[in-house]
Amino acid sequence: MNAPESGLILDAVDRQIIRATQAGLPLVPQPYHAVAAQLGLAAGEVMARIERMQAAGIIRRIGLVPNHYALGYSANGMTVWDVADDRAEAMGEQVGRLAFVSHCYLRPRHLPAWPYNLFAMVHGRSRQEVAGKVAVIAALLGDACHGHDVLYSSRILKKTGLRLTD
Amino acid sequence: MAAEKIPTPTLPINGEGDNPLPRGRGRLGGGAVDDLDETDRRIINALQGGFPVCERPFQQAAETLGLDEQTLIERIEHLLAQKVLSRFGPLYNADRMGGRNVLAAMAVPEDRYEAVAEAVNALPEIAHNYRREHALNMWFVAASDSDATLEAAFRRIEQETGLPVYRFPKEREFFVELKLTV
């Protein structure tokens, strides 16, 4: 296991809590008590550990996770860009700042099949809407970009999120 | 974080859009968004984060929405059953647990697509898997608190399918968050 970025080392009890809640919280008036009862812990301890994990960023947020498609965001475009290496960092920062870009990463190329190093996810209610946003990114990148593509998702094959297995 | 980036689209029309997903696994019944009433929408917009950690969190969250505890619980149950929500609870960040999310892709022959999807999805490390329209037509994310576990999962997929798995680990992350509004 790597050194965690957060500086918080998870112990066996934290991991039990993660396993008990990663698929969701029980939908009962006292969900943290229900988790505690299931694990043989005190409710106060479960809540304190969850708050600690939240403060450390191990828990990004607690709440509901909407299904994009059910909410009408049916066009899900992974836009990929071949950006000059010496400008990729700066351009990535700028693309990441666009309001409609939900995720933006630099990733390795796999030449010759895959020349793209900048990935930006764009969601819209139609492909036309996504295409308009792609044009905005293309204009921003200008001559730093040597080519791009948009990969639309056509089916969700799996969506479960993180699962600890041990 | 970065609240100024949150898009505020208007409500889409039932079933419109030029990207209808094929029916079958992963396909939602049409018009899910149209079945949402004002209360559902308020719940979805308000509760994508910030669910309290306390004795009676549903009661506390319900109060800020002007609802009672039982109504909120029942609404969330219903939205989950309708698959308007994919989950309710803590969203864990594998990166912060000492591990990583790694994006990977494969070029899967069409006649083997279903079987390969099953083999990939069977591994618990695979958190998401999407079909995409490209020569690389299967894109999945493996998440674990251990790099070794991730690499073992990729190798197992390569062995079971005989297809190369292209790894796309993130070298730099610029932004992550999406809050949808209905």
Side-chain angles (χ1 to χ4, degrees), chain A residues 15 21 32 58 60-61 64-65 67 73-74 89 93 96 98 104 106-107 110 127 154 157-158 160, chain B residues 5 9 18-19 47-48 52 84 86 88 91-93 121 127 129 131 133 145 167-168 171-172 174:
Chain A
R15 297 170 66 85
T21 57
Y32 304 111
I58 288 167
R60 240 189 239 282
R61 53 192 166 91
L64 51 84
V65 182
N67 176 329
Y73 289 78
S74 57
E89 188 88 10
E93 290 280 2
L98 296 171
C104 188
L106 282 182
R107 301 185 185 278
H110 290 277
R127 290 195 181 191
S154 51
L157 302 165
K158 185 174 186 182
T160 49
Chain B
K5 291 188 52 112
D18 52 3
N19 181 28
L47 273 189
Q48 290 175 48
V84 171
S86 49
F88 180 83
L91 190 68
Y92 289 99
N93 181 356
N121 292 351
N129 188 2
R131 181 179 176 110
E133 296 167 21
D145 59 348
R167 280 85 152 164
F168 293 96
E171 294 173 334
R172 178 91 160 74
F174 297 104

Side-chain angles (χ1 to χ4, degrees), chain A residues 19-41:
Chain A
R19 279 196 299 276
T21 57
Q22 61 197 352
L25 279 175
L27 296 173
V28 296
Q30 295 190 300
Y32 304 111
H33 290 63
V35 170
Q38 184 195 330
L39 299 176
L41 300 169

Side-chain angles (χ1 to χ4, degrees), chain A residues 43-63:
Chain A
E45 183 173 8
V46 168
M47 288 191 275
R49 284 173 179 271
I50 286 177
E51 283 178 331
R52 202 167 56 118
M53 288 193 276
Q54 210 169 4
I58 288 167
I59 295 176
R60 240 189 239 282
R61 53 192 166 91
I62 306 176

